[in-house]
C-alpha cells in the first residue's frame, strides 16, 4: 500500500527535486502540494510548483497557495540562492493548470479527513502553513501520521550563526509544530550538508536521457554556484529538501537519534535556533527523530534511480 503524503514546499531548487523524487515512486502517494513563502514570495513558489507538476504531467494533483508571510514577522526570502524566479536555471513550461480556490491549510484538512489512513506531512519550507493547519483544525491531529520536515540543525545555522533558514523565517510556526505532540523527523543541516551532489554526480544525471533528468541537471548547475563560496567548505551542493523523501523511501540510508528539540522565538541573537538536547540534559521527553548522517553514495543512487523512472 502506498504511503499517503502531502508536500508543503517553497520551490526552490531542492524543493523541486524533492517533488520530482516523490512522484517517481509508487510507494508514495502525493495527495496534494501546498506552497509556502520562503525561498521566494508566495506567488512565485506557487507558480514554480505548478510549473514542475506541468513538466511531470501531474496536473491531477491539487495545489493550493499558503500564507504570504510568517505568523508574527515580515517575510525573508532566499533569492540570493534560488534567483529571481526561485527556480532560475532550467527552462520550465508555463503552468497548464491552476491552483484550487482554497488556502493550503484548508486543502490539507480536506485531504486528512478523506484519507483512510493517517497522512504524512512533508514540509520543506517555513512551517507557517503546517502551524495554521494545527491551530485551525486541532481535531485533525490524529489524522497526521508524522511530520517529516527539512529544517533546523543540531549544530550551527546557515542563515544566522545559530539558525537554519526555514526555521528562522518563521520560528513561531516552528514552535507550534515542535510542541504539537505529533511525531517529527527532522532533516536538519547536520544531515543535509552531507547529502552533497558533486560535479561527477551532475554529469551522471545529465547522461540520463529524459527531460526531467535534464531539468534536474539544469537546476543543480545553477544551485551549485551559490555553494561554491569557500566559506561553506563544500565539495558540491547540499540537497537539503530531498533528504525528506529519501528518508521516507530508504530510511536505512540515514542515522539519527530521538531527542527533544525546542525553538528559540525571542532572542535577537539566536532567533530560530533549534535547541537539540542530544545528551538528554534537560530530561525532557523526545519530540523528534533528528537525522545526523546519511550514506551519500546511496542518496545519489536513489536520486538517479528516481530520474530513470521518467524515461
Amino acid at each position: 500500500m502506498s504511503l499517503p503524503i502531502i508536500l508543503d514546499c517553497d520551490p526552490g531548487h531542492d524543493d523541486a527535486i524533492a517533488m520530482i523524487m516523490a512522484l517517481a515512486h509508487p510507494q508514495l502517494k502525493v495527495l496534494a502540494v501546498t506552497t509556502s513563502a520562503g525561498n521566494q514570495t508566495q506567488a512565485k513558489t506557487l507558480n514554480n510548483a505548478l510549473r514542475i507538476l506541468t513538466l511531470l504531467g501531474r496536473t491531477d494533483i491539487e495545489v493550493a497557495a499558503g500564507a504570504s508571510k510568517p505568523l508574527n514577522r515580515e517575510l525573508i526570502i532566499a533569492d540570493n540562492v534560488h534567483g529571481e524566479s526561485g527556480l532560475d536555471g532550467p527552462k520550465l513550461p508555463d503552468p497548464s493548470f491552476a491552483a484550487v480556490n482554497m488556502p493550503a491549510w484548508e486543502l490539507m484538512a480536506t485531504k486528512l479527513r478523506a484519507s483512510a489512513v493517517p497522512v504524512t506531512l512533508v514540509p520543506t519550507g517555513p512551517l507557517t502553513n503546517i502551524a495554521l493547519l494545527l491551530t485551525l483544525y486541532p481535531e485533525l491531529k490524529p489524522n497526521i501520521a508524522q511530520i517529516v520536515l527539512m529544517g533546523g540543525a543540531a549544530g550551527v545555522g546557515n542563515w544566522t550563526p545559530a539558525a537554519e533558514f526555514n526555521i528562522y523565517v518563521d520560528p513561531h510556526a516552528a514552535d507550534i509544530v515542535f510542541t504539537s505532540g505529533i511525531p517529527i523527523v527532522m532533516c536538519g543541516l547536520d544531515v543535509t550538508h552531507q547529502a552533497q551532489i558533486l560535479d561527477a554526480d551532475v554529469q551522471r544525471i545529465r547522461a540520463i536521457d529524459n527531460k526531467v533528468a535534464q531539468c534536474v541537471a539544469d537546476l543543480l548547475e545553477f544551485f551549485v554556484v551559490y555553494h561554491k563560496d569557500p566559506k561553506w567548505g563544500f565539495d558540491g551542493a547540499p540537497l537539503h529538501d530531498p533528504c525528506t523523501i529519501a528518508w521516507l523511501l530508504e530510511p536505512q540510508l540515514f542515522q539519527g537519534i530521538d531527542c527533544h528539540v525546542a525553538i528559540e522565538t525571542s532572542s535577537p541573537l539566536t532567533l530560530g535556533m533549534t535547541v537539540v538536547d542530544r545528551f538528554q540534559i534537560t530530561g525532557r521527553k523526545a519530540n523528534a527523530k533528528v537525522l545526523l548522517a546519511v550514506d551519500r553514495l546511496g542518496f545519489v543512487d536513489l536520486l538517479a534511480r528516481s530520474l530513470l523512472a521518467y524515461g
Side-chain angles (χ1 to χ4, degrees), residues 10-70:
D10 60 338
H13 293 66
D14 47 341
D15 303 81
I17 295 170
M19 190 186 309
I20 289 167
M21 284 182 69
L23 289 166
H25 295 273
Q27 58 263 52
L28 300 180
K29 181 175 178 56
V30 179
L31 302 180
V33 172
T34 56
T35 59
S36 59
N39 285 328
Q40 257 295 355
T41 61
Q42 176 59 246
K44 291 181 180 180
T45 62
L46 174 64
N47 186 59
N48 288 341
L50 294 169
R51 292 162 77 202
I52 291 293
L53 290 170
T54 297
L55 172 73
L56 301 180
R58 293 303 308 268
T59 59
D60 57 304
I61 296 176
E62 290 183 296
V63 180
S68 61
K69 63 180 290 295

Side-chain angles (χ1 to χ4, degrees), residues 151-191:
V156 298
N158 66 346
W159 204 254
T160 74
E164 178 274 332
F165 176 78
N166 284 344
I167 306 298
Y168 182 73
V169 170
D170 198 342
H172 303 92
D175 183 53
I176 290 171
V177 172
F178 276 86
T179 58
S180 68
I182 296 168
I184 291 172
V185 178
M186 178 177 128
C187 303
L189 299 179
D190 316 277
V191 68

Side-chain angles (χ1 to χ4, degrees), residues 7 19 21 42 61 64 77 132-133 140 175 210 218 227 235 272:
L7 301 176
M19 190 186 309
M21 284 182 69
Q42 176 59 246
I61 296 176
I77 61 172
L132 287 166
L133 170 72
L140 293 179
D175 183 53
N210 66 60
D218 290 342
H227 297 95
D235 296 319

